[in-house]
Amino acid sequence: MKAVVYKERAKIEVVDIPKPQLVKDDDVIVRITLAGVCGADLEFTQNGPEMGLFEVCA
């Protein structure tokens, strides 16, 4: 499946990641079908390290 990941300052990539799996009995998988992005949501692309944001997916 595809995911958008923050790689480094001003660099965002769409990458393939493994499909999520249910591990515990109370786990759920949520499918996102629509999302909106505001310009302010992208602030971390310029100031991520200063805001404490780091790469989550390799």
Side-chain angles (χ1 to χ4, degrees):
M1 70 186 266
K2 301 284 185 189
V4 177
V5 295
Y6 173 74
K7 295 300 241 177
E8 60 187 58
R9 182 187 307 271
K11 186 174 181 186
I12 299 174
E13 292 182 4
V14 176
V15 298
D16 286 311
I17 63 170
K19 287 183 105 177
Q21 296 182 349
L22 300 174
V23 179
K24 300 184 298 181
D25 290 339
D26 59 350
D27 284 350
V28 297
I29 296 174
V30 178
R31 179 185 300 234
I32 306 298
T33 58
L34 183 65
V37 178
C38 171
D41 295 333
L42 299 176
E43 175 68 21
F44 73 92
T45 64
Q46 299 300 317
N47 299 311
E50 291 81 8
M51 295 175 69
L53 299 171
F54 300 98
E55 182 177 344
V56 176
C57 296

